[in-house]
Amino acid sequence: MEERKPILSAKDIEITFSMRGRYLKAIRKCSLDLYEGETLAIVGESGSGKSVFTKSFIGMLDNNGSITGGSIMFEGVDIAKYTKESDWLKIRGKKIAMVFQDPMTSLNPLKTIGEQIREVIELHQGIKGEESKKMAIEMLEKVGITDPANRYKQYPHEFSGGMRQRVVIAIAAACFPKILICDEPTTALDVTIQAQILDLIRNLQKEMGMTVIYITHDLGVVANVADRVAVMYAGELVEVGTAEDIFYDARHPYTWALLSSLPQLGEKGQPLPTIEGTPPNLYNDIVGDAFAPRNKHALRIDFIENPPYFEVSPTHKAKTWLLDPRAPKCEAPKVIQQLRSKMKGR
Ligand SMILES: Nc1ncnc2c1ncn2[C@@H]1O[C@H](COP(=O)(O)OP(=O)(O)O)[C@@H](O)[C@H]1O
Ligand SMILES: [Mg+2]
């Protein structure tokens, strides 16, 4: 593979929240390189740190949280060191934009859809008057809103959930960001709309050359969209690889567990397997591998020492003692070995 330079490089990021004198370490040394033009999916159960990790790229952590270690290099600057809102305003929305699960949180109910897109265009691109209005209408058309000139004059409540999410994406894309972070953008929408929004994001990305981070708790959603997948558990990235690596050659037992609950693997009439147990309490210090108590394949050392990353291939790494040369041989569950044939024809 050719050497590629990352567009954003997070290294050993630690994020801590303070709650009434107690500290919760939400992100525990996460390193991630993001490459230009790719779609990277971040997957993991609710509470694993997907939102917190990526919000730190645009300075949107809640007030009681801060980056307590590591660096985030973007355009030659360590943005993890930013403390002033004026610094973040040069990046947030403009170079790195984020779309959230609930489109209503991003829209102003009192302003027309058109005005809201137009404002962003005027603010970020310095275009005014009829010109910005024209661009806003074009943007609505680009995100698949029919009759955009009339829809321009309507208010958010006159749009359906799926259409509102399209508008939010239009607002994000109107600044031509280099990186678009989509944080569970379809979780609140029904399945058909979900597929349409995914298509939309994919098309916009191709057309505009954006780099996309797609966050979801549902691994099934990303099979057809992601170039690479990062799996998150209890504030750590436990496995990172190409979509091929993660779907067909997963090495971490947590990734196995996620894959086992894919609807594609379900037998008719049988409930899908769920992952037993609960993630650790992040207020406590975690000893060993955070997944060990829920891991059927855990080794003794898992309860003693946190594993390092093992490189499976130049594109693929996983943080599990099972990959240590001294570990007993442990194969992926049978059902996962059948994944390739089961995913065919989708
Ligand atoms: N403002 C906050 N104060 C305290 N804890 C927080 C705050 N925001 C998030 N957390 C905690 O950080 C962890 C990661 O949260 P989050 O990134 O939202 O998870 P995900 O997006 O993967 O569902 C969770 O344990 C959550 O409770
Ligand atoms: Mg989240």
Side-chain angles (χ1 to χ4, degrees):
M1 216 178 66
E2 62 178 307
E3 240 346 271
R4 286 190 301 170
K5 241 188 110 196
I7 175 171
L8 180 142
S9 181
K11 196 150 179 14
D12 294 332
I13 284 299
E14 262 183 37
I15 295 171
T16 311
F17 289 100
S18 134
M19 298 270 278
R20 292 179 224 96
R22 294 178 73 198
Y23 294 97
L24 180 149
K25 203 173 266 182
I27 300 298
R28 301 182 296 133
K29 286 196 187 287
C30 281
S31 299
L32 185 71
D33 286 335
L34 189 64
Y35 296 99
E36 189 156 4
E38 77 170 338
T39 298
L40 173 95
I42 303 182
V43 300
E45 284 165 295
S46 175
S48 55
K50 305 177 298 291
S51 299
V52 165
F53 183 43
T54 47
K55 276 181 179 171
S56 75
F57 302 170
I58 53 170
M60 271 190 70
L61 292 177
D62 295 338
N63 284 333
N64 63 331
S66 59
I67 301 177
T68 42
S71 61
I72 304 169
M73 296 306 294
F74 179 68
E75 299 191 331
V77 179
D78 179 6
I79 59 176
K81 300 279 180 304
Y82 278 180
T83 50
K84 294 197 298 282
E85 184 65 7
S86 57
D87 283 330
W88 284 115
L89 287 178
K90 287 181 231 152
I91 292 193
R92 189 190 308 142
K94 207 169 191 161
K95 294 186 169 174
I96 308 179
M98 197 152 172
V99 171
F100 297 97
Q101 179 177 330
D102 176 10
M104 273 323 248
T105 58
S106 316
L107 293 172
N108 183 337
L110 303 176
K111 282 185 180 168
T112 66
I113 292 295
E115 278 174 277
Q116 298 187 51
I117 304 181
R118 190 169 169 180
E119 259 172 20
V120 171
I121 293 172
E122 297 193 348
L123 180 71
H124 288 285
Q125 307 201 34
I127 299 167
K128 295 265 177 296
E130 279 305 302
E131 186 73 9
S132 65
K133 181 174 179 183
K134 201 172 134 244
M135 267 188 82
I137 293 174
E138 276 169 18
M139 213 58 225
L140 279 175
E141 188 163 23
K142 216 197 264 289
V143 298
I145 304 235
T146 47
D147 195 13
N150 277 318
R151 296 295 252 166
Y152 180 97
K153 296 176 234 160
Q154 292 184 321
Y155 290 87
H157 72 87
E158 298 175 79
F159 282 62
S160 68
M163 286 297 156
R164 271 184 221 139
Q165 195 58 292
R166 284 176 191 266
V167 170
V168 172
I169 293 169
I171 292 174
C175 315
F176 295 94
K178 294 204 160 123
I179 301 172
L180 179 66
I181 304 171
C182 302
D183 190 353
E184 314 229 19
T186 63
T187 302
L189 305 173
D190 74 50
V191 183
T192 35
I193 311 285
Q194 198 174 68
Q196 291 168 10
I197 299 281
L198 277 169
D199 272 343
L200 166 64
I201 292 168
R202 199 165 23 188
N203 291 338
L204 274 181
Q205 172 188 37
K206 273 207 203 101
E207 193 179 325
M208 303 175 54
M210 289 184 296
T211 304
V212 172
I213 299 180
Y214 195 92
I215 297 172
T216 175
H217 63 277
D218 181 358
L219 190 51
V221 168
V222 300
N224 297 317
V225 239
D227 299 308
R228 288 196 307 139
V229 180
V231 180
M232 201 155 198
Y233 186 77
E236 293 180 311
L237 292 169
V238 295
E239 184 160 12
V240 181
T242 63
E244 178 83 16
D245 293 334
I246 300 299
F247 280 94
Y248 304 127
D249 190 25
R251 301 302 178 99
H252 197 288
Y254 180 62
T255 313
W256 294 343
L258 285 180
L259 288 168
S260 306
S261 35
L262 280 177
Q264 288 87 344
L265 286 179
E267 300 289 336
K268 271 219 164 62
Q270 298 280 336
L272 283 169
T274 49
I275 310 173
E276 270 172 48
T278 49
N281 182 343
L282 297 174
Y283 280 111
N284 301 333
D285 277 338
I286 295 168
V287 177
D289 183 326
F291 188 57
R294 302 171 78 185
N295 181 5
K296 278 187 286 222
H297 311 275
L299 307 170
R300 201 154 25 121
I301 188 155
D302 279 308
F303 295 92
I304 301 166
E305 205 175 321
N306 200 359
Y309 285 99
F310 291 92
E311 188 178 291
V312 180
S313 77
T315 59
H316 188 185
K317 63 177 183 176
K319 196 172 168 301
T320 166
W321 283 118
L322 291 179
L323 290 173
D324 190 285
R326 292 163 294 182
K329 205 166 156 43
C330 175
E331 287 201 334
K334 274 271 150 12
V335 60
I336 287 173
Q337 296 180 27
Q338 299 162 359
L339 197 58
R340 192 182 289 274
S341 59
K342 298 242 181 176
M343 302 277 279
K344 281 275 151 60
R346 283 174 8 96

